[in-house]
Amino acid sequence: EVQLVESGGGLVQPGGSLRLSCAASGFTFSNYWMSWVRQAPGKGLEWVANIKGDGSEKYYVDSVKGRFTISRDNAKKSLSLQMNNLRAEDTAVYYCARGVIGDCWGQGALVTVSS
Amino acid sequence: QSVLTQPPSASGTPGQRVTISCSGSSSNIGSDTVNWYQQLPGTAPQLLISDNNQRPSGVPDRFSGSKSGTSASLAISGLLSEDEADYYCATWDASLNGFVFGTGSKVTVL
């Protein structure tokens, strides 16, 4: 069974940093692109970033470029999102998803940016 | 704001057919396949339709997708109360070099 489990969410002050992780199981992790998608409270879905199976290609939404970094450790079957210089508008549930299109999603991790 | 436009809401009575549209442009829907997601209240989204009209294993055939030019549609036939959810279209945008989601449509079963 494919499973994605996010961790690392929490409350952080504006300008602070947070690192999200996603533990994958049930599939050959290195064969898949992986993505992060977020959803602000009461709002729609917003794609954040994705990364190729071997880590050689990465793409980001404009609003996080230069602040967020997506990475992966295929040996540990783990996906990460390093978030720096966080803003109030980054407050959202962050989902880890398999593939470019997200054929399987985790349960999400809540990130709250507030003073 | 999203580059893919959906109606905010749609509704129908049990058994009816409901259709949700997704309007884009030549750089997104016009040049790539469309996917649809269902998000039940309080849960993570799940893939409903991929590659314009393909249903992943386990998705009932009451759900169908289509695409024409720069627009796409999701149809739900034989509407059930359990279909009350938010629905999102999505595709890759070549101009933005990123994945884009639609604005989302809330389906209500009357």
Side-chain angles (χ1 to χ4, degrees):
Chain A
E1 179 194 5
V2 174
Q3 272 202 313
L4 298 169
V5 180
E6 300 94 338
S7 60
L11 174 64
V12 61
Q13 292 188 338
S17 298
L18 208 59
R19 187 179 183 88
L20 299 180
S21 296
C22 172
S25 61
F27 63 101
T28 305
F29 183 69
S30 59
N31 287 353
Y32 287 83
W33 283 77
M34 294 296 294
S35 303
W36 287 100
V37 177
R38 67 185 179 183
Q39 186 170 36
K43 302 297 184 182
L45 301 174
E46 180 183 37
W47 170 79
V48 174
N50 59 20
I51 183 170
K52 195 175 181 179
D54 62 4
S56 61
E57 293 181 44
K58 304 176 185 181
Y59 299 93
Y60 299 90
V61 68
D62 282 350
S63 59
V64 309
K65 284 179 182 176
R67 299 189 301 123
F68 290 12
T69 301
I70 189 172
S71 62
R72 63 191 299 157
D73 184 332
N74 286 343
K76 295 182 178 179
K77 297 184 179 182
S78 178
L79 176 72
S80 296
L81 185 68
Q82 177 65 42
M83 302 182 293
N84 298 331
N85 192 18
L86 282 160
R87 307 166 180 167
E89 54 265 36
D90 296 318
T91 294
V93 174
Y94 285 73
Y95 295 102
C96 162
R98 187 177 76 168
V100 173
I101 70 167
D103 63 0
C104 184
W105 297 58
Q107 84 288 349
L110 177 61
V111 173
T112 303
V113 184
S114 175
S115 55
Chain B
Q1 63 276 19
S2 176
V3 297
L4 303 181
T5 303
Q6 300 178 231
S9 62
S11 62
T13 57
Q16 279 191 327
R17 175 184 171 95
V18 168
T19 301
I20 300 168
S21 61
C22 176
S23 179
S25 68
S26 58
S27 66
N28 41 67
I29 294 178
S31 57
D32 208 333
T33 58
V34 177
N35 311 288
W36 290 90
Y37 304 82
Q38 178 191 59
Q39 187 175 30
L40 297 167
T43 70
Q46 54 182 343
L47 183 64
L48 195 64
I49 297 286
S50 65
D51 295 331
N52 300 329
N53 53 22
Q54 301 300 303
R55 285 186 306 276
S57 174
V59 174
D61 59 7
R62 302 184 294 103
F63 295 92
S64 61
S66 63
K67 176 187 137 174
S68 178
T70 59
S71 294
S73 293
L74 172 71
I76 310 172
S77 59
L79 196 63
L80 299 175
S81 58
E82 66 205 49
D83 297 333
E84 273 206 349
D86 293 321
Y87 293 84
Y88 297 89
C89 60
T91 187
W92 189 262
D93 190 295
S95 292
L96 297 175
N97 217 19
F99 201 65
V100 290
F101 285 93
T103 50
S105 299
K106 182 176 183 61
V107 168
T108 301
V109 182
L110 302 171

